[in-house]
């Protein structure tokens, strides 16, 4: 059997005669933090519900710690799976204190064991001394951490998080995703987050499965998804960028509107074949000393830098990063140069 904590094999899920999840396979290692990332309607929440036991499988298998949880004909009830869940709706009990909310899932534990676990979790989530407060006396971020602690309290084999930060403001979401990652790593709980937010996924997960139309396009580290996407949808979904036409010139080189570009390893395309190169704004930088000139057609101030939009001679518009003190005007010709270590190439 696999060493994975969670193993999903060839899972298909449908709703009202429509296929929602199509032949999905993925696994999480013990104590690994994973993420299902994708747009609304891609099947990520449906898959999460199946892992939790709320959704029947059309086919495939779901295993947890070498125990078969679900097949087409077999399904262990949700309450017997050893799986915890944190939802978008925090749903704390308003009439219970923080400590009593956390203790809710500790049925069968001795009073001493409950007290020890609650104190341990309050310390872990940074709310030591606040156990006797009520939910309405806490901030939104604090309430979400209490909901997390309540789900973690019985030490589940797997923790599922269904868009738990979506009701919070953007800055708090990013910060809380990082905090939750630290908390879960400290407690050693294998977890799977569902989100449509790329930044949230990057802040939280060790590995991310990017989903589209029920499929997993790529299951990889945040770094590889951003710098080495294997699918055009993944390339566009995890960060800004544009495709430009190019032609394969040699085993490691392509000709493009920006000149001859070289790769750090062989490209798996025939010589003279037409391809597309995906360029992100951090691949193209403003360079006053560059002989290649482009027309500035758009600019967005980002504090430490500008995100420029520049038009090449062939009419292609690309994003370009520039230090914020380089404050050029729209319509001005500026020098640009490439800063690429690895080419992202797709067939045309």
């Amino acid at each position: 059997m696999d060493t994975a904590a969670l193993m999903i094999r060839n899972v298909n899920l449908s709703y009202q005669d429509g296929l929602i999840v199509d032949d999905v396979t993925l696994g999480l290692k013990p104590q690994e933090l994973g993420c299902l990332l994708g747009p609304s309607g891609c099947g990520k929440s449906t898959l999460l519900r199946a892992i939790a036991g709320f959704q029947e499988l059309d086919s495939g298998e779901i295993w947890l710690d070498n125990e078969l949880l679900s097949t087409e004909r077999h399904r262990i009830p949700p309450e017997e799976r050893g799986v915890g869940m944190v939802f978008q709706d925090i749903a704390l009990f308003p009439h219970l204190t923080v400590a009593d909310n956390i203790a809710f899932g500790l049925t069968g534990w001795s009073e001493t064991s409950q007290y020890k676990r609650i104190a341990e979790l309050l310390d872990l989530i940074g709310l030591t001394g606040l156990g006797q407060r009520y939910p309405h006396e806490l901030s939104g971020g604090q309430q979400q951490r209490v909901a997390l602690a309540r789900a973690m309290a019985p030490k589940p084999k797997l923790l599922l998080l269904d868009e738990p930060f979506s009701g919070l403001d953007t800055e708090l979401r990013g910060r809380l995703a990082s905090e939750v990652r630290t908390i879960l790593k400290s407690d050693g709980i294998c977890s799977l987050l569902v989100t449509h937010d790329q930044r949230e996924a990057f802040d939280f997960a060790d590995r991310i499965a990017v989903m589209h139309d029920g499929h997993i396009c790529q299951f990889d580290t945040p770094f590889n998804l951003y710098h080495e996407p294997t699918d055009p949808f993944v390339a566009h979904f995890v960060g800004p960028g544009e495709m430009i036409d190019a032609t394969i010139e040699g085993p490691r080189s392509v000709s493009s509107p920006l000149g001859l570009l070289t790769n750090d390893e062989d490209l798996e395309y025939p010589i003279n074949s037409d391809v597309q190169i995906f360029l992100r704004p951090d691949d193209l930088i403003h360079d006053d000393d560059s002989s290649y000139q482009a027309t500035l057609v758009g600019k967005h101030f980002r504090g430490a830098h500008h995100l420029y939009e520049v038009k090449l001679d062939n009419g292609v518009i690309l994003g370009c990063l520039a230090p914020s003190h380089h404050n050029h005007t729209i319509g001005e010709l500026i020098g640009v140069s490439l800063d690429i270590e690895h080419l992202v190439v797709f067939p045309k």
Side-chain angles (χ1 to χ4, degrees):
M1 192 59 202
D2 299 272
T3 57
L6 173 68
M7 176 56 66
I8 301 167
R9 288 186 177 141
N10 306 115
V11 163
N12 288 280
L13 298 164
S14 60
Y15 179 70
Q16 294 182 347
D17 298 326
L19 197 60
I20 304 298
V21 172
D22 186 2
D23 197 29
V24 163
T25 295
L26 66 84
L28 290 180
K29 303 171 187 175
Q31 303 184 24
E32 186 174 26
L33 304 185
C35 177
L36 300 175
L37 172 67
S40 298
C42 71
K44 57 188 186 298
S45 290
T46 303
L47 181 57
L48 200 76
R49 287 176 54 82
I51 298 168
F54 301 131
Q55 177 89 26
E56 295 182 1
L57 304 189
D58 292 355
S59 61
E61 299 176 343
I62 298 176
W63 295 76
L64 182 61
D65 283 354
N66 295 333
E67 179 183 12
L68 183 60
L69 298 184
S70 293
T71 66
E72 184 179 351
R73 297 180 176 84
H74 165 81
R75 179 161 59 104
I76 292 178
E79 65 274 13
E80 297 177 15
R81 296 190 170 212
V83 174
M85 286 204 70
V86 180
F87 298 96
Q88 176 180 341
D89 181 4
I90 298 172
L92 295 177
F93 299 109
H95 63 292
L96 297 181
T97 65
V98 166
D100 288 339
N101 266 283
I102 295 173
F104 186 79
L106 298 178
T107 305
W109 290 46
S110 69
E111 187 175 337
T112 300
S113 296
Q114 285 191 32
Y115 181 83
K116 181 180 178 182
R117 181 60 172 160
I118 291 167
E120 180 182 71
L121 286 168
L122 285 173
D123 179 62
L124 196 60
I125 65 175
L127 296 180
T128 301
L130 301 184
Q132 296 309 306
R133 290 196 182 182
Y134 287 87
H136 71 272
E137 299 177 299
L138 304 178
S139 68
Q142 289 173 326
Q143 290 180 28
Q144 193 59 270
R145 291 202 292 271
V146 174
L148 175 68
R150 183 177 62 185
M152 293 169 58
K155 298 187 176 180
K157 299 174 185 177
L158 174 69
L159 185 64
L160 304 176
L161 302 102
D162 190 6
E163 305 248 16
F165 315 120
S166 61
L168 305 173
D169 64 74
T170 302
E171 183 178 349
L172 180 57
R173 286 172 66 171
R175 187 169 74 248
L176 197 55
S178 295
E179 290 177 2
V180 169
R181 172 183 171 83
T182 301
I183 290 167
L184 292 173
K185 283 293 186 182
S186 298
D187 214 41
I189 297 178
C190 179
S191 304
L192 184 63
L193 168 73
V194 160
T195 183
H196 62 273
D197 187 284
Q198 165 260 338
R199 176 186 169 187
E200 194 173 289
F202 282 10
D203 284 335
F204 176 86
D206 299 316
R207 287 190 296 163
I208 299 168
V210 178
M211 293 190 67
H212 181 53
D213 289 341
H215 298 275
I216 291 181
C217 303
Q218 187 173 347
F219 184 37
D220 217 327
T221 64
F223 181 92
N224 286 345
L225 289 175
Y226 187 84
H227 291 287
E228 299 182 17
T230 60
D231 181 279
F233 176 81
V234 175
H236 284 287
F237 193 79
V238 302
E242 298 293 338
M243 296 284 191
I244 64 171
D245 292 335
T247 303
I248 300 294
E249 287 289 329
R252 298 190 177 188
S253 62
V254 298
S255 62
S256 77
L258 293 165
L260 188 69
L261 309 179
T262 58
N263 197 40
D264 53 1
E265 56 187 35
D266 286 352
L267 299 166
E268 299 179 0
Y269 296 94
I271 305 299
N272 295 324
S273 61
D274 292 329
V275 294
Q276 289 190 311
I277 300 173
F278 186 76
L279 295 176
R280 299 197 185 278
D282 50 315
D283 292 326
L284 190 65
I285 59 175
H286 173 38
D287 181 0
D288 286 326
D289 296 326
S290 174
S291 59
Y292 192 93
Q293 301 283 300
T295 304
L296 182 61
V297 294
K299 57 187 292 188
H300 309 276
F301 184 65
R302 295 289 187 262
H305 67 271
H306 286 289
L307 173 58
Y308 283 155
E309 295 168 5
V310 296
K311 182 185 287 188
L312 308 185
D313 290 341
N314 66 349
V316 172
I317 296 176
L318 298 175
C320 170
L321 294 184
S324 60
H325 58 274
H326 285 238
N327 190 21
H328 294 281
T329 58
I330 301 295
E332 188 177 344
L333 279 173
I334 63 171
V336 295
S337 62
L338 289 172
D339 183 20
I340 302 175
E341 293 185 4
H342 181 84
L343 293 177
V344 177
V345 182
F346 297 110
K348 187 172 179 181

